[in-house]
């Protein structure tokens, strides 16, 4: 595979080797059945299908470290052992398909306690007394029309850091290969990073040093318990797309610090902290990832409207990123990597096919001179 397209070359971080560089992005499913944070058969089938579909890393949805850190009542969690034990067979199945398993751990902050907004369902905050709960944030500033959060006290912040630590321990016990700390999309850690949502006057607010303290405290604490041989990722929003907010220069500066603290890869997304006019288009976030890669000196993954095999390969071949996360395209097409392999000329025997799927190999549709 030395001459294979870069998308299908193995990639190693610490002691973990991914079979390729096309990875499943974390995407919320809002499908917990009993509102207890326990993943269900839906999660086994959803994640398992992408593992058998050829992805090198299969990342769970945003998985909460506390009950009140869920985005919706239907979110998955890893704040107790029952949840840990329910994740374990899902991880085993992913491994059985040749993929690595990752879990994104998170706290939703002021964007917690919302309706999931499925078609025909309500949106916005779930009221107290109707299944909702009090939300929290760095400052009592609400997001859009959501409920106003309570400002976190220092003791609360320390408890949340320890909740991330406990989640990482359980993730290791469940067999996950990668943990990703969610610091993007306007959830709690991003809320602390951005001056648009963090107006604190203590050591967790103010300048860059103060606003990054929660994330750095969390990274230090998690890295101390996460196995040395397993990689640790952070997802960051490269920009708020709003003047006076978090931007790509601060993202790169923070990423360089994270590299020194044992972070192995930055997963670069954008937005989510305030309502903004975002210039959405194919690969629109890739320049943010490239800026971080160039200025921070650590691996990055790119995400955001990466939908075509040639597009993904060009990102890697041009050294704009080290891996790509496929998101909505993977919802439409669980076997996206198998089509991508054929499109890029990878012979079916070298593609990540499960034996059960070889009769449907793309080489029968796309002429690759197999």
């Amino acid at each position: 595979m030395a001459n294979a397209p870069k998308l299908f070359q193995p990639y190693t971080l610490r002691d973990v080797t991914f079979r390729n560089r096309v990875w499943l992005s974390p995407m919320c499913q809002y499908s917990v059945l009993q509102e207890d944070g326990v993943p269900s058969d839906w999660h086994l089938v959803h994640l398992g299908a992408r593992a058998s579909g050829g992805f090198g890393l299969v990342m769970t949805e945003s998985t909460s470290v506390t009950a009140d850190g869920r985005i919706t009542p239907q979110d998955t969690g890893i704040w107790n052992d029952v949840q840990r034990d329910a994740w374990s067979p899902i991880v085993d199945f992913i491994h059985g398909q040749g993929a690595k398993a990752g879990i994104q751990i998170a706290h939703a902050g002021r964007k917690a306690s919302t309706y999931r907004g499925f078609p025909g369902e309500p949106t916005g905050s779930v009221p107290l007394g109707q299944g909702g709960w009090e939300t929290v944030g760095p400052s009592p500033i609400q997001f859009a029309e959501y409920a106003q959060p309570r400002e976190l006290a220092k003791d609360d912040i320390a408890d949340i850091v320890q909740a991330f630590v406990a989640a990482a321990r359980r993730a290791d016990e469940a067999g996950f290969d990668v943990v990703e700390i969610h610091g993007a999309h306007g959830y709690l850690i991003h809320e602390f990073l951005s001056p648009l949502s963090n107006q604190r006057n203590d050591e967790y607010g103010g300048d860059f040093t103060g606003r990054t303290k929660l994330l750095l405290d969390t990274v230090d604490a998690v890295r101390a318990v996460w196995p040395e041989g397993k990689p640790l990722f952070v997802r960051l929003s490269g920009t708020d797309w709003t003047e006076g907010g978090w931007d790509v220069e601060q993202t790169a500066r923070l990423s360089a610090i994270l590299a020194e603290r044992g972070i192995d890869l930055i997963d670069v997304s954008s937005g989510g902290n305030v309502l903004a006019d975002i210039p959405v288009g194919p690969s629109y976030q890739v320049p943010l990832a490239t800026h971080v890669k160039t200025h921070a000196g650590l691996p990055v993954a790119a995400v955001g409207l990466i939908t075509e095999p040639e597009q993904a390969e060009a990102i890697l071949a041009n050294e704009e990123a080290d891996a790509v996360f496929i998101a909505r395209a993977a919802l439409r097409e669980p076997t996206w990597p198998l089509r991508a392999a054929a499109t890029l000329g990878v012979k079916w025997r070298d593609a990540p096919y499960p034996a059960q799927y070889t009769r449907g190999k793309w080489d029968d549709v796309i002429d690759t001179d197999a």
Side-chain angles (χ1 to χ4, degrees), residues 292-306:
V292 172
K293 177 178 172 64
T294 301
H295 291 85
L298 80 169
V300 300
V303 65
L305 282 181
I306 301 170

Side-chain angles (χ1 to χ4, degrees), residues 54-141:
F55 286 89
L57 169 64
V58 173
M59 186 77 73
T60 72
E61 64 197 80
S62 176
T63 299
S64 187
V65 300
T66 66
D68 64 359
R70 292 171 294 167
I71 304 168
T72 76
Q74 294 81 25
D75 279 16
T76 57
I78 193 162
W79 68 81
N80 64 43
D81 292 349
V82 174
Q83 296 158 353
R84 176 202 63 194
D85 294 345
W87 280 118
S88 185
I90 297 173
V91 171
D92 289 345
F93 186 87
I94 291 170
H95 286 160
Q97 304 310 303
K100 300 302 181 184
I103 184 169
Q104 185 187 71
I105 55 176
H107 191 295
R110 65 178 183 168
K111 294 177 76 173
S113 188
T114 64
Y115 291 106
R116 60 185 177 177
F118 280 1
E121 295 185 4
T123 59
S125 296
V126 181
L128 299 175
Q130 297 183 33
W133 56 89
E134 181 185 51
T135 59
V136 297
S139 302
I141 302 170

Side-chain angles (χ1 to χ4, degrees), residues 263-337:
I263 292 301
D264 300 287
L265 179 141
I266 304 296
D267 173 7
V268 185
S269 187
S270 74
N273 192 45
V274 294
L275 299 179
D277 184 13
I278 301 176
V280 175
S283 300
Y284 73 104
Q285 295 175 153
V286 173
L288 300 171
T290 304
H291 184 91
V292 172
K293 177 178 172 64
T294 301
H295 291 85
L298 80 169
V300 300
V303 65
L305 282 181
I306 301 170
T307 59
E308 299 303 322
E310 299 90 343
Q311 175 193 14
E313 175 64 16
I315 291 167
L316 301 185
N318 295 333
E319 298 186 350
E320 297 171 85
D322 300 282
V324 294
F325 275 113
I326 305 297
R328 297 181 191 192
L331 294 180
R332 297 188 291 268
E333 191 177 355
T335 58
W336 190 95

Side-chain angles (χ1 to χ4, degrees), residues 184-217:
H185 299 165
Y187 300 120
L188 185 66
I189 290 175
H190 185 183
E191 293 164 20
F192 271 84
L193 295 176
S194 175
L196 300 177
S197 47
N198 183 349
Q199 297 182 6
R200 299 175 72 95
N201 295 315
D202 63 7
E203 64 266 38
Y204 289 96
D207 61 8
F208 176 88
T209 300
R211 288 182 282 109
T212 60
K213 180 174 170 52
L214 171 60
L215 176 55
L216 295 178
D217 286 353

Side-chain angles (χ1 to χ4, degrees), residues 144-164:
E145 300 301 318
Y146 290 4
Q148 184 177 21
R150 172 178 62 83
E151 180 172 310
L152 285 164
K154 292 180 187 178
D155 288 347
D156 297 326
I157 294 172
D159 289 343
I160 289 172
V161 171
Q162 290 307 307
F164 274 92

